[in-house]
Amino acid sequence: MNEQEIPIDIHLNKLLDWLVSRRICPRDWQKYIIAVRQNINNAIQDMPAVEEIANMLTGTYINYFHCQRIVEILKETESSSKNIFGQYSSQRMKDWLEIGKLYEKDNIYLAEAAQLLVRNIVYELPSLKRQLVKCRQIQEESIKKEADYVKNENAMRQNYLSSCQKIGIEGKNIKKELLSLLDELPGSLNAVATSAKDLTLVRNYYVSFLNFTLKKDMDSNCLPVLKYVIEKGNTTTFEWRTGEPPEVVEVTTPVFPLDVDCASTEAADDQIDFGDFVANSESGDDRSSSSPNGDFVHVDREECKPENGYQIDFGDSDINWDISVETSGTNDVPVFEGEGGKVARGTDALSVLENETTRNSFYNDLLELEAFLDQRVMEAESSSSDVLSSSFFNNAPEILQMQSTDVLKQMLNSTKSLSSQLMTTKLKHLYLIKSSPRYVDRLVESLKSKLETAEKMIDCQKAVKLKYHEAVLEEKALEPKIKIIVDKTKILLSEVEQDISKRYKNRKVNIMGGLSALQQITVY
């Protein structure tokens, strides 16, 4: 094969070393290039308004081959500046011709071009490519995050509405709506007491079972609070304890600020007005005209607790010391008598289902009845242990023998229905609100936190949208920049190969790893 047909392959990373090793360029070429770059910076300050020159000065580093093209353009634009000897008197032309001469000295332009190729192909273009990839990843992540934030926002708002619905409020003015619900508490508890009458047969069945199995009368000790509510209804705790209705009911209640804006719950403890202690109920009536929220209002027992067990009437500015203490009934409970007769104060003034202690006892009675009925249903459904049909129950009362499995299940469902009615989410909150004014603020904060979280999700959506648009703008700026650098680098690569080829009798020169890398970036 003819030597002229053998191509010269030069690896891109070794190009500069190859030029220096073959003495085409000096090793200390960089110290000469400083003066050239300084002259270029000065020369480009005064350039003719030619579009091609403006394109050359945009996007990439000015090199020797650009300078040659600028000189050709100036020959046309500065042709009028020739003198009679054919020389250019234009300073622009003189500057660029001088730059060309400095470049050509010791071929330092080739060394600079080799360095530019390495910098563009190995470093700058891959860096821009990574930035472009990152921009697209940010866009994809932003779209995904925005969808997640929208989903979380809707979930928190739905959670807020669901919580408000369970409590029984709209959620527009949370605190005011919560406090207004206290008016519904007496009616709800009275409805529970009315429903309790439906369990008369169920309780009788349970008592009969205990009487038969234990061989003694259990009526008085079996489910006492449930029995009382079935027979007497939701009376005052005083009547439950003493067996006699009070002649006067003195209700002590903290007065809640009903005009509180739901947007402001700071310093909640300072906003609570505990009011004055009053006693002006009608004799024999379980209601109190001093209660703004219903028949009975829970008393903060810690703040209204009397010293040494005595109740003090704060109805007037002077203390009424004319108090006598009697004991009545089997419970040996103190009965306070004043000018108005027997007086129910403090927790005694609350209804049985409103008083936390008696309400819990009532609920425990229901749970006990549920557990019993659940066991009876299991026994009735079990063919291997059918206690109802055994000889043990032959002498049992008719009420025990005649109850079928379906009837037992109906009894169980009725009992569970009543316990659920007593312990709904709404009533649980009302119990706590009535017993502690501070609970209102905690509940308000809990509900508001759901809305605040939803608002934070909106802010997060705005943030990721902004990030998305910034990434889009950056991508739009990077794409043309990469294209310009790729195109001009391809031209520079070709010019360097041609220049080296001329030095070796026009043998083909291949700069390995240059064009292939540029094509990959272009395809991307």
Side-chain angles (χ1 to χ4, degrees):
M1 180 180 291
N2 188 0
E3 183 181 358
Q4 289 297 115
E5 297 178 0
I6 301 175
I8 301 174
D9 295 335
I10 309 169
H11 198 279
L12 177 65
N13 291 334
K14 302 294 183 178
L15 178 58
L16 185 57
D17 294 336
W18 188 89
L19 292 172
V20 173
S21 65
R22 281 153 181 78
R23 299 181 182 278
I24 298 175
C25 302
R27 291 184 179 276
D28 56 350
W29 64 273
Q30 289 183 340
K31 69 179 182 180
Y32 300 109
I33 205 69
I34 296 175
V36 178
R37 303 311 309 176
Q38 183 63 42
N39 288 346
I40 291 176
N41 291 334
N42 295 332
I44 62 176
Q45 303 300 322
D46 180 26
M47 296 296 294
V50 178
E51 184 178 355
E52 185 178 353
I53 294 179
N55 292 335
M56 287 183 194
L57 301 178
T58 303
T60 57
Y61 205 63
I62 300 297
N63 56 60
Y64 168 75
F65 302 102
H66 291 149
C67 295
Q68 283 187 321
R69 181 56 188 161
I70 290 174
V71 169
E72 291 177 4
I73 295 173
L74 289 177
K75 286 179 180 179
E76 298 177 2
T77 59
E78 305 295 324
S79 58
S80 60
S81 63
K82 280 187 177 182
N83 56 26
I84 58 175
F85 300 105
Q87 296 178 340
Y88 290 94
S89 60
S90 169
Q91 186 62 40
R92 293 174 180 170
M93 181 63 77
K94 290 180 181 180
D95 291 341
W96 287 105
L97 289 174
E98 178 64 22
I99 292 171
K101 290 178 182 179
L102 292 174
Y103 258 135
E104 292 169 357
K105 184 180 179 181
D106 294 329
N107 300 317
I108 61 174
Y109 70 91
L110 269 180
E112 184 193 49
Q115 187 186 57
L116 286 175
L117 287 174
V118 172
R119 187 178 69 181
N120 288 349
I121 297 175
V122 178
Y123 298 105
E124 187 168 357
L125 284 173
S127 176
L128 293 175
K129 179 180 176 180
R130 287 192 294 270
Q131 291 183 34
L132 191 63
V133 171
K134 186 177 180 180
C135 288
R136 292 172 180 173
Q137 287 178 345
I138 291 175
Q139 293 174 41
E140 293 176 359
E141 291 173 359
S142 297
I143 293 173
K144 183 178 179 181
K145 286 182 178 179
E146 183 181 1
D148 290 340
Y149 289 140
V150 171
K151 183 179 179 181
N152 291 338
E153 178 201 353
N154 294 334
M156 292 308 300
R157 292 192 184 280
Q158 187 62 36
N159 191 351
Y160 172 78
L161 294 176
S162 177
S163 300
C164 290
Q165 186 177 7
K166 289 179 180 179
I167 299 174
I169 61 175
E170 293 183 10
K172 295 180 180 179
N173 192 326
I174 305 173
K175 191 165 188 177
K176 187 174 182 179
E177 291 175 17
L178 285 174
L179 297 178
S180 64
L181 285 180
L182 292 175
D183 295 332
E184 303 177 14
L185 182 58
S188 299
L189 295 178
N190 289 335
V192 172
T194 301
S195 300
K197 297 182 184 299
D198 297 335
L199 298 184
T200 302
L201 178 62
V202 181
R203 182 184 176 278
N204 291 340
Y205 174 76
Y206 182 39
V207 171
S208 298
F209 185 90
L210 293 178
N211 291 341
F212 178 73
T213 55
L214 299 178
K215 305 300 181 182
K216 61 180 179 179
D217 186 8
M218 297 294 295
D219 183 66
S220 59
N221 297 324
C222 179
L223 312 178
V225 184
L226 176 60
K227 175 185 178 183
Y228 181 84
V229 172
I230 290 174
E231 295 176 352
K232 297 292 186 68
N234 190 26
T235 66
T236 60
T237 305
F238 180 93
E239 185 173 347
W240 147 254
R241 294 177 63 187
T242 64
E244 299 178 4
E247 297 178 2
V248 177
V249 178
E250 293 183 355
V251 179
T252 307
T253 175
V255 178
F256 297 89
L258 296 182
D259 57 346
V260 177
D261 186 359
C262 66
S264 175
T265 58
E266 297 180 0
D269 294 340
D270 296 333
Q271 295 176 355
I272 299 173
D273 178 14
F274 287 96
D276 297 323
F277 297 94
V278 294
N280 50 5
S281 290
E282 295 293 335
S283 176
D285 189 359
D286 288 342
R287 297 176 178 269
S288 172
S289 60
S290 63
S291 171
N293 298 315
D295 293 344
F296 306 100
V297 182
H298 185 81
V299 181
D300 191 330
R301 292 184 293 276
E302 293 300 324
E303 296 187 11
C304 303
K305 184 177 180 181
E307 296 181 0
N308 301 324
Y310 291 99
Q311 298 283 355
I312 302 175
D313 183 7
F314 289 89
D316 300 323
S317 58
D318 296 329
I319 298 175
N320 181 9
W321 297 100
D322 185 14
I323 300 174
S324 61
V325 179
E326 297 181 0
T327 58
S328 174
T330 59
N331 295 329
D332 194 24
V333 178
V335 179
F336 298 94
E337 293 191 1
E339 295 178 355
K342 295 179 181 179
V343 181
R345 294 191 181 98
T347 56
D348 279 346
L350 301 175
S351 70
V352 171
L353 297 182
E354 194 173 13
N355 187 337
E356 182 179 1
T357 302
T358 51
R359 180 177 66 246
N360 289 339
S361 298
F362 178 79
Y363 185 63
N364 290 336
D365 289 350
L366 294 178
L367 295 180
E368 180 181 343
L369 195 56
E370 282 183 30
F372 165 74
L373 291 171
D374 194 43
Q375 181 66 29
R376 298 302 297 154
V377 169
M378 291 176 60
E379 292 173 351
E381 292 178 339
S382 175
S383 58
S384 61
S385 59
D386 191 0
V387 180
L388 292 177
S389 61
S390 66
S391 59
F392 179 75
F393 281 87
N394 288 338
N395 298 324
E398 183 178 357
I399 190 173
L400 296 180
Q401 299 187 38
M402 301 301 295
Q403 304 303 332
S404 64
T405 303
D406 292 336
V407 173
L408 291 174
K409 288 182 178 180
Q410 186 176 0
M411 289 181 180
L412 179 60
N413 292 334
S414 298
T415 306
K416 288 183 176 180
S417 175
L418 184 61
S419 61
S420 299
Q421 184 181 351
L422 180 68
M423 289 297 174
T424 62
T425 302
K426 179 179 179 180
L427 285 180
K428 286 179 182 178
H429 286 298
L430 289 181
Y431 299 151
L432 293 170
I433 291 172
K434 203 67 175 271
S435 62
S436 174
R438 290 173 183 156
Y439 178 76
V440 179
D441 297 310
R442 292 196 297 271
L443 183 57
V444 169
E445 289 300 323
S446 175
L447 292 173
K448 285 179 61 181
S449 65
K450 302 179 188 297
L451 286 181
E452 290 171 357
T453 303
E455 293 299 325
K456 288 180 181 178
M457 293 298 102
I458 295 177
D459 294 337
C460 291
Q461 292 173 43
K462 294 179 181 178
V464 296
K465 283 181 180 178
L466 179 61
K467 197 172 183 179
Y468 172 83
H469 290 303
E470 289 176 350
V472 169
L473 293 176
E474 186 176 356
E475 180 185 359
K476 290 180 179 179
L478 284 173
E479 287 178 343
K481 184 177 181 180
I482 291 175
K483 186 177 184 304
I484 290 173
I485 295 176
V486 168
D487 293 341
K488 292 191 175 183
T489 303
K490 285 182 179 179
I491 295 172
L492 179 61
L493 183 67
S494 176
E495 290 171 338
V496 171
E497 290 177 344
Q498 292 175 10
D499 191 283
I500 296 175
S501 178
K502 290 177 183 178
R503 297 174 187 275
Y504 290 90
K505 298 179 182 181
N506 295 324
R507 286 174 61 183
K508 183 175 178 60
V509 176
N510 296 323
I511 298 178
M512 309 298 292
L515 186 60
S516 60
L518 292 174
Q519 287 175 344
Q520 289 179 0
I521 295 175
T522 304
V523 170
Y524 177 81

